[in-house]
mmCIF file of all heavy atoms in Angstrom:
data_model
loop_
_atom_site.group_PDB
_atom_site.id
_atom_site.type_symbol
_atom_site.label_atom_id
_atom_site.label_comp_id
_atom_site.label_asym_id
_atom_site.label_seq_id
_atom_site.Cartn_x
_atom_site.Cartn_y
_atom_site.Cartn_z
ATOM 1 N N ARG A 23 9.692 35.615 -30.209
ATOM 2 C CA ARG A 23 9.550 35.594 -28.747
ATOM 3 C C ARG A 23 8.340 34.814 -28.333
ATOM 4 O O ARG A 23 8.401 34.025 -27.451
ATOM 5 C CB ARG A 23 9.466 37.030 -28.264
ATOM 6 C CG ARG A 23 10.839 37.758 -28.208
ATOM 7 C CD ARG A 23 10.738 39.021 -27.292
ATOM 8 N NE ARG A 23 9.674 39.924 -27.702
ATOM 9 C CZ ARG A 23 9.925 40.887 -28.607
ATOM 10 N NH1 ARG A 23 11.118 41.118 -29.127
ATOM 11 N NH2 ARG A 23 8.895 41.756 -28.933
ATOM 12 N N ASN A 24 7.260 35.012 -29.043
ATOM 13 C CA ASN A 24 6.054 34.221 -28.715
ATOM 14 C C ASN A 24 6.308 32.759 -28.996
ATOM 15 O O ASN A 24 5.735 31.888 -28.308
ATOM 16 C CB ASN A 24 4.845 34.753 -29.517
ATOM 17 C CG ASN A 24 4.376 36.122 -29.062
ATOM 18 O OD1 ASN A 24 4.544 36.427 -27.915
ATOM 19 N ND2 ASN A 24 3.724 36.909 -29.999
ATOM 20 N N PHE A 25 6.996 32.417 -30.135
ATOM 21 C CA PHE A 25 7.250 31.051 -30.477
ATOM 22 C C PHE A 25 8.000 30.365 -29.361
ATOM 23 O O PHE A 25 7.596 29.251 -28.950
ATOM 24 C CB PHE A 25 8.042 31.012 -31.814
ATOM 25 C CG PHE A 25 8.578 29.632 -32.118
ATOM 26 C CD1 PHE A 25 7.814 28.702 -32.712
ATOM 27 C CD2 PHE A 25 9.944 29.327 -31.861
ATOM 28 C CE1 PHE A 25 8.295 27.431 -33.038
ATOM 29 C CE2 PHE A 25 10.426 28.047 -32.083
ATOM 30 C CZ PHE A 25 9.597 27.125 -32.721
ATOM 31 N N TRP A 26 9.070 30.944 -28.828
ATOM 32 C CA TRP A 26 9.849 30.361 -27.803
ATOM 33 C C TRP A 26 9.055 30.302 -26.461
ATOM 34 O O TRP A 26 9.196 29.356 -25.722
ATOM 35 C CB TRP A 26 11.131 31.120 -27.573
ATOM 36 C CG TRP A 26 12.175 30.882 -28.687
ATOM 37 C CD1 TRP A 26 12.591 31.695 -29.651
ATOM 38 C CD2 TRP A 26 12.822 29.589 -28.928
ATOM 39 N NE1 TRP A 26 13.443 31.104 -30.477
ATOM 40 C CE2 TRP A 26 13.599 29.784 -30.080
ATOM 41 C CE3 TRP A 26 12.747 28.316 -28.297
ATOM 42 C CZ2 TRP A 26 14.425 28.784 -30.617
ATOM 43 C CZ3 TRP A 26 13.568 27.352 -28.776
ATOM 44 C CH2 TRP A 26 14.366 27.562 -29.928
ATOM 45 N N LYS A 27 8.257 31.281 -26.256
ATOM 46 C CA LYS A 27 7.398 31.282 -25.029
ATOM 47 C C LYS A 27 6.483 30.098 -25.028
ATOM 48 O O LYS A 27 6.296 29.380 -24.108
ATOM 49 C CB LYS A 27 6.627 32.614 -24.938
ATOM 50 C CG LYS A 27 5.673 32.619 -23.736
ATOM 51 C CD LYS A 27 4.874 33.930 -23.798
ATOM 52 C CE LYS A 27 3.787 33.920 -22.646
ATOM 53 N NZ LYS A 27 2.941 35.173 -22.687
ATOM 54 N N GLU A 28 5.755 29.884 -26.234
ATOM 55 C CA GLU A 28 4.791 28.825 -26.368
ATOM 56 C C GLU A 28 5.551 27.471 -26.275
ATOM 57 O O GLU A 28 5.056 26.515 -25.678
ATOM 58 C CB GLU A 28 4.093 28.897 -27.692
ATOM 59 C CG GLU A 28 3.087 30.082 -27.760
ATOM 60 C CD GLU A 28 2.003 29.983 -26.799
ATOM 61 O OE1 GLU A 28 1.489 28.864 -26.472
ATOM 62 O OE2 GLU A 28 1.605 31.013 -26.156
ATOM 63 N N THR A 29 6.737 27.365 -26.906
ATOM 64 C CA THR A 29 7.489 26.156 -26.878
ATOM 65 C C THR A 29 7.876 25.773 -25.417
ATOM 66 O O THR A 29 7.730 24.590 -25.055
ATOM 67 C CB THR A 29 8.758 26.290 -27.781
ATOM 68 O OG1 THR A 29 8.381 26.623 -29.054
ATOM 69 C CG2 THR A 29 9.540 25.020 -27.668
ATOM 70 N N LEU A 30 8.372 26.780 -24.646
ATOM 71 C CA LEU A 30 8.717 26.481 -23.313
ATOM 72 C C LEU A 30 7.537 26.104 -22.384
ATOM 73 O O LEU A 30 7.612 25.126 -21.624
ATOM 74 C CB LEU A 30 9.354 27.711 -22.717
ATOM 75 C CG LEU A 30 10.760 28.062 -23.181
ATOM 76 C CD1 LEU A 30 11.241 29.453 -22.661
ATOM 77 C CD2 LEU A 30 11.756 26.950 -22.792
ATOM 78 N N ILE A 31 6.357 26.759 -22.562
ATOM 79 C CA ILE A 31 5.163 26.385 -21.805
ATOM 80 C C ILE A 31 4.677 25.038 -22.159
ATOM 81 O O ILE A 31 4.358 24.220 -21.307
ATOM 82 C CB ILE A 31 4.090 27.488 -22.049
ATOM 83 C CG1 ILE A 31 4.533 28.840 -21.382
ATOM 84 C CG2 ILE A 31 2.761 27.022 -21.381
ATOM 85 C CD1 ILE A 31 3.575 29.971 -21.692
ATOM 86 N N ASN A 32 4.553 24.765 -23.468
ATOM 87 C CA ASN A 32 4.005 23.494 -23.942
ATOM 88 C C ASN A 32 4.855 22.276 -23.532
ATOM 89 O O ASN A 32 4.379 21.129 -23.470
ATOM 90 C CB ASN A 32 3.793 23.519 -25.430
ATOM 91 C CG ASN A 32 2.661 24.462 -25.838
ATOM 92 O OD1 ASN A 32 1.799 24.761 -25.065
ATOM 93 N ND2 ASN A 32 2.696 24.930 -27.071
ATOM 94 N N ASN A 33 6.177 22.494 -23.369
ATOM 95 C CA ASN A 33 7.094 21.401 -23.049
ATOM 96 C C ASN A 33 7.621 21.521 -21.642
ATOM 97 O O ASN A 33 8.651 20.936 -21.223
ATOM 98 C CB ASN A 33 8.293 21.433 -24.010
ATOM 99 C CG ASN A 33 7.808 21.017 -25.440
ATOM 100 O OD1 ASN A 33 7.552 19.942 -25.746
ATOM 101 N ND2 ASN A 33 7.664 22.117 -26.256
ATOM 102 N N ALA A 34 6.936 22.319 -20.778
ATOM 103 C CA ALA A 34 7.393 22.600 -19.384
ATOM 104 C C ALA A 34 7.600 21.314 -18.616
ATOM 105 O O ALA A 34 8.545 21.125 -17.842
ATOM 106 C CB ALA A 34 6.395 23.487 -18.718
ATOM 107 N N ILE A 35 6.613 20.332 -18.805
ATOM 108 C CA ILE A 35 6.619 19.083 -18.001
ATOM 109 C C ILE A 35 7.921 18.298 -18.384
ATOM 110 O O ILE A 35 8.553 17.702 -17.496
ATOM 111 C CB ILE A 35 5.347 18.250 -18.183
ATOM 112 C CG1 ILE A 35 5.293 17.208 -17.133
ATOM 113 C CG2 ILE A 35 5.261 17.729 -19.613
ATOM 114 C CD1 ILE A 35 4.905 17.700 -15.780
ATOM 115 N N TYR A 36 8.271 18.316 -19.656
ATOM 116 C CA TYR A 36 9.425 17.574 -20.132
ATOM 117 C C TYR A 36 10.688 18.200 -19.582
ATOM 118 O O TYR A 36 11.669 17.537 -19.170
ATOM 119 C CB TYR A 36 9.488 17.415 -21.608
ATOM 120 C CG TYR A 36 8.274 16.698 -22.203
ATOM 121 C CD1 TYR A 36 7.367 17.464 -23.005
ATOM 122 C CD2 TYR A 36 8.033 15.427 -21.948
ATOM 123 C CE1 TYR A 36 6.221 16.821 -23.532
ATOM 124 C CE2 TYR A 36 6.920 14.756 -22.518
ATOM 125 C CZ TYR A 36 6.001 15.514 -23.310
ATOM 126 O OH TYR A 36 4.921 14.859 -23.780
ATOM 127 N N ILE A 37 10.733 19.475 -19.620
ATOM 128 C CA ILE A 37 11.914 20.308 -19.123
ATOM 129 C C ILE A 37 12.115 20.020 -17.645
ATOM 130 O O ILE A 37 13.221 19.830 -17.198
ATOM 131 C CB ILE A 37 11.695 21.780 -19.431
ATOM 132 C CG1 ILE A 37 11.692 22.056 -20.934
ATOM 133 C CG2 ILE A 37 12.842 22.642 -18.749
ATOM 134 C CD1 ILE A 37 11.287 23.493 -21.276
ATOM 135 N N LEU A 38 11.044 19.968 -16.891
ATOM 136 C CA LEU A 38 11.088 19.769 -15.475
ATOM 137 C C LEU A 38 11.653 18.330 -15.184
ATOM 138 O O LEU A 38 12.406 18.121 -14.249
ATOM 139 C CB LEU A 38 9.709 19.942 -14.783
ATOM 140 C CG LEU A 38 9.182 21.408 -14.736
ATOM 141 C CD1 LEU A 38 7.763 21.381 -14.206
ATOM 142 C CD2 LEU A 38 10.157 22.266 -13.838
ATOM 143 N N ILE A 39 11.140 17.393 -15.987
ATOM 144 C CA ILE A 39 11.659 16.010 -15.818
ATOM 145 C C ILE A 39 13.097 15.908 -16.129
ATOM 146 O O ILE A 39 13.900 15.253 -15.359
ATOM 147 C CB ILE A 39 10.833 15.076 -16.678
ATOM 148 C CG1 ILE A 39 9.399 14.940 -16.179
ATOM 149 C CG2 ILE A 39 11.511 13.681 -16.743
ATOM 150 C CD1 ILE A 39 8.407 14.175 -17.086
ATOM 151 N N ILE A 40 13.573 16.546 -17.153
ATOM 152 C CA ILE A 40 15.053 16.525 -17.534
ATOM 153 C C ILE A 40 15.861 17.148 -16.395
ATOM 154 O O ILE A 40 16.892 16.578 -15.950
ATOM 155 C CB ILE A 40 15.280 17.272 -18.843
ATOM 156 C CG1 ILE A 40 14.683 16.477 -20.003
ATOM 157 C CG2 ILE A 40 16.796 17.485 -19.059
ATOM 158 C CD1 ILE A 40 14.680 17.292 -21.308
ATOM 159 N N ILE A 41 15.353 18.262 -15.841
ATOM 160 C CA ILE A 41 16.049 18.904 -14.704
ATOM 161 C C ILE A 41 16.082 17.949 -13.489
ATOM 162 O O ILE A 41 17.114 17.859 -12.838
ATOM 163 C CB ILE A 41 15.328 20.213 -14.324
ATOM 164 C CG1 ILE A 41 15.548 21.292 -15.477
ATOM 165 C CG2 ILE A 41 15.937 20.778 -13.026
ATOM 166 C CD1 ILE A 41 14.705 22.537 -15.282
ATOM 167 N N ALA A 42 14.968 17.287 -13.254
ATOM 168 C CA ALA A 42 14.860 16.357 -12.097
ATOM 169 C C ALA A 42 15.863 15.181 -12.309
ATOM 170 O O ALA A 42 16.495 14.805 -11.311
ATOM 171 C CB ALA A 42 13.496 15.807 -11.991
ATOM 172 N N VAL A 43 15.980 14.676 -13.499
ATOM 173 C CA VAL A 43 16.877 13.551 -13.733
ATOM 174 C C VAL A 43 18.350 13.983 -13.506
ATOM 175 O O VAL A 43 19.157 13.284 -12.815
ATOM 176 C CB VAL A 43 16.745 13.094 -15.215
ATOM 177 C CG1 VAL A 43 17.887 12.083 -15.581
ATOM 178 C CG2 VAL A 43 15.391 12.325 -15.374
ATOM 179 N N ILE A 44 18.700 15.182 -14.029
ATOM 180 C CA ILE A 44 20.065 15.677 -13.828
ATOM 181 C C ILE A 44 20.361 15.934 -12.326
ATOM 182 O O ILE A 44 21.456 15.534 -11.822
ATOM 183 C CB ILE A 44 20.230 16.996 -14.633
ATOM 184 C CG1 ILE A 44 20.145 16.727 -16.183
ATOM 185 C CG2 ILE A 44 21.605 17.668 -14.326
ATOM 186 C CD1 ILE A 44 20.155 17.943 -17.022
ATOM 187 N N TYR A 45 19.398 16.544 -11.639
ATOM 188 C CA TYR A 45 19.582 16.832 -10.257
ATOM 189 C C TYR A 45 19.745 15.496 -9.462
ATOM 190 O O TYR A 45 20.543 15.464 -8.548
ATOM 191 C CB TYR A 45 18.419 17.618 -9.789
ATOM 192 C CG TYR A 45 18.422 17.937 -8.232
ATOM 193 C CD1 TYR A 45 19.217 18.941 -7.721
ATOM 194 C CD2 TYR A 45 17.712 17.149 -7.350
ATOM 195 C CE1 TYR A 45 19.247 19.225 -6.390
ATOM 196 C CE2 TYR A 45 17.721 17.445 -5.941
ATOM 197 C CZ TYR A 45 18.586 18.455 -5.523
ATOM 198 O OH TYR A 45 18.551 18.735 -4.199
ATOM 199 N N THR A 46 18.894 14.499 -9.748
ATOM 200 C CA THR A 46 19.006 13.263 -9.070
ATOM 201 C C THR A 46 20.291 12.530 -9.296
ATOM 202 O O THR A 46 20.921 12.006 -8.333
ATOM 203 C CB THR A 46 17.806 12.377 -9.549
ATOM 204 O OG1 THR A 46 16.563 12.993 -9.306
ATOM 205 C CG2 THR A 46 17.819 11.068 -8.632
ATOM 206 N N GLN A 47 20.761 12.552 -10.520
ATOM 207 C CA GLN A 47 22.041 11.903 -10.841
ATOM 208 C C GLN A 47 23.223 12.606 -10.120
ATOM 209 O O GLN A 47 24.107 11.890 -9.699
ATOM 210 C CB GLN A 47 22.271 11.939 -12.373
ATOM 211 C CG GLN A 47 23.606 11.339 -12.842
ATOM 212 C CD GLN A 47 23.760 9.857 -12.532
ATOM 213 O OE1 GLN A 47 22.779 9.231 -12.244
ATOM 214 N NE2 GLN A 47 24.971 9.379 -12.531
ATOM 215 N N ILE A 48 23.180 13.882 -10.019
ATOM 216 C CA ILE A 48 24.206 14.633 -9.293
ATOM 217 C C ILE A 48 24.244 14.276 -7.836
ATOM 218 O O ILE A 48 25.298 14.068 -7.260
ATOM 219 C CB ILE A 48 24.001 16.130 -9.433
ATOM 220 C CG1 ILE A 48 24.228 16.593 -10.902
ATOM 221 C CG2 ILE A 48 24.924 16.934 -8.551
ATOM 222 C CD1 ILE A 48 23.906 18.038 -11.228
ATOM 223 N N ASN A 49 23.085 14.037 -7.267
ATOM 224 C CA ASN A 49 22.978 13.745 -5.842
ATOM 225 C C ASN A 49 23.038 12.303 -5.529
ATOM 226 O O ASN A 49 23.350 11.947 -4.365
ATOM 227 C CB ASN A 49 21.660 14.274 -5.306
ATOM 228 C CG ASN A 49 21.646 15.831 -5.112
ATOM 229 O OD1 ASN A 49 22.056 16.355 -4.107
ATOM 230 N ND2 ASN A 49 21.184 16.521 -6.199
ATOM 231 N N ASN A 50 22.811 11.508 -6.510
ATOM 232 C CA ASN A 50 22.959 10.006 -6.314
ATOM 233 C C ASN A 50 23.371 9.335 -7.563
ATOM 234 O O ASN A 50 22.591 9.168 -8.535
ATOM 235 C CB ASN A 50 21.537 9.422 -5.860
ATOM 236 C CG ASN A 50 21.747 8.008 -5.344
ATOM 237 O OD1 ASN A 50 22.526 7.220 -5.817
ATOM 238 N ND2 ASN A 50 20.891 7.616 -4.345
ATOM 239 N N SER A 51 24.691 9.007 -7.628
ATOM 240 C CA SER A 51 25.280 8.535 -8.905
ATOM 241 C C SER A 51 24.740 7.131 -9.288
ATOM 242 O O SER A 51 24.981 6.748 -10.418
ATOM 243 C CB SER A 51 26.822 8.439 -8.728
ATOM 244 O OG SER A 51 27.154 7.604 -7.623
ATOM 245 N N ARG A 52 23.978 6.492 -8.428
ATOM 246 C CA ARG A 52 23.459 5.174 -8.757
ATOM 247 C C ARG A 52 22.145 5.191 -9.584
ATOM 248 O O ARG A 52 21.630 4.233 -10.047
ATOM 249 C CB ARG A 52 23.215 4.341 -7.504
ATOM 250 C CG ARG A 52 24.428 3.976 -6.676
ATOM 251 C CD ARG A 52 24.066 3.207 -5.464
ATOM 252 N NE ARG A 52 23.299 3.878 -4.491
ATOM 253 C CZ ARG A 52 22.068 3.643 -4.247
ATOM 254 N NH1 ARG A 52 21.386 2.734 -4.935
ATOM 255 N NH2 ARG A 52 21.401 4.390 -3.343
ATOM 256 N N PHE A 53 21.689 6.462 -9.783
ATOM 257 C CA PHE A 53 20.369 6.654 -10.400
ATOM 258 C C PHE A 53 20.338 6.156 -11.903
ATOM 259 O O PHE A 53 19.405 5.540 -12.286
ATOM 260 C CB PHE A 53 19.920 8.200 -10.421
ATOM 261 C CG PHE A 53 18.597 8.466 -11.022
ATOM 262 C CD1 PHE A 53 17.445 7.791 -10.656
ATOM 263 C CD2 PHE A 53 18.539 9.371 -12.021
ATOM 264 C CE1 PHE A 53 16.244 8.044 -11.219
ATOM 265 C CE2 PHE A 53 17.261 9.671 -12.632
ATOM 266 C CZ PHE A 53 16.193 8.978 -12.248
ATOM 267 N N LEU A 54 21.423 6.411 -12.624
ATOM 268 C CA LEU A 54 21.451 6.079 -14.040
ATOM 269 C C LEU A 54 22.366 4.880 -14.327
ATOM 270 O O LEU A 54 22.819 4.770 -15.415
ATOM 271 C CB LEU A 54 21.908 7.335 -14.900
ATOM 272 C CG LEU A 54 20.853 8.485 -14.876
ATOM 273 C CD1 LEU A 54 21.468 9.600 -15.736
ATOM 274 C CD2 LEU A 54 19.531 8.039 -15.336
ATOM 275 N N THR A 55 22.453 4.020 -13.302
ATOM 276 C CA THR A 55 23.188 2.766 -13.520
ATOM 277 C C THR A 55 22.329 1.755 -14.343
ATOM 278 O O THR A 55 21.143 1.955 -14.395
ATOM 279 C CB THR A 55 23.632 2.123 -12.190
ATOM 280 O OG1 THR A 55 22.440 1.865 -11.429
ATOM 281 C CG2 THR A 55 24.598 3.075 -11.454
ATOM 282 N N THR A 56 22.915 0.717 -14.841
ATOM 283 C CA THR A 56 22.254 -0.233 -15.649
ATOM 284 C C THR A 56 21.090 -0.847 -14.825
ATOM 285 O O THR A 56 19.936 -0.999 -15.334
ATOM 286 C CB THR A 56 23.137 -1.318 -16.138
ATOM 287 O OG1 THR A 56 24.167 -0.790 -17.014
ATOM 288 C CG2 THR A 56 22.402 -2.370 -16.976
ATOM 289 N N SER A 57 21.346 -1.243 -13.635
ATOM 290 C CA SER A 57 20.328 -1.896 -12.774
ATOM 291 C C SER A 57 19.142 -0.949 -12.521
ATOM 292 O O SER A 57 17.974 -1.383 -12.540
ATOM 293 C CB SER A 57 20.903 -2.364 -11.465
ATOM 294 O OG SER A 57 21.508 -1.267 -10.733
ATOM 295 N N SER A 58 19.439 0.358 -12.346
ATOM 296 C CA SER A 58 18.361 1.315 -12.082
ATOM 297 C C SER A 58 17.555 1.539 -13.296
ATOM 298 O O SER A 58 16.283 1.621 -13.183
ATOM 299 C CB SER A 58 19.011 2.649 -11.625
ATOM 300 O OG SER A 58 17.997 3.618 -11.402
ATOM 301 N N ILE A 59 18.210 1.611 -14.484
ATOM 302 C CA ILE A 59 17.466 1.859 -15.759
ATOM 303 C C ILE A 59 16.600 0.669 -16.019
ATOM 304 O O ILE A 59 15.450 0.852 -16.448
ATOM 305 C CB ILE A 59 18.477 2.156 -16.889
ATOM 306 C CG1 ILE A 59 19.146 3.498 -16.615
ATOM 307 C CG2 ILE A 59 17.754 2.144 -18.194
ATOM 308 C CD1 ILE A 59 20.250 3.806 -17.638
ATOM 309 N N VAL A 60 17.085 -0.499 -15.849
ATOM 310 C CA VAL A 60 16.253 -1.675 -16.060
ATOM 311 C C VAL A 60 15.114 -1.793 -15.127
ATOM 312 O O VAL A 60 14.001 -2.182 -15.490
ATOM 313 C CB VAL A 60 17.179 -3.024 -15.941
ATOM 314 C CG1 VAL A 60 16.282 -4.260 -15.968
ATOM 315 C CG2 VAL A 60 18.249 -3.103 -17.063
#
Side-chain angles (χ1 to χ4, degrees):
R23 285 196 300 270
N24 289 334
F25 169 82
W26 285 111
K27 177 184 175 182
E28 291 298 321
T29 300
L30 288 173
I31 293 174
N32 291 337
N33 295 283
I35 194 73
Y36 301 113
I37 295 171
L38 290 173
I39 289 172
I40 292 171
I41 293 172
V43 169
I44 295 172
Y45 178 79
T46 305
Q47 178 62 19
I48 291 172
N49 285 272
N50 192 325
S51 59
R52 295 182 294 108
F53 179 56
L54 294 181
T55 59
T56 301
S57 59
S58 176
I59 293 173
V60 170

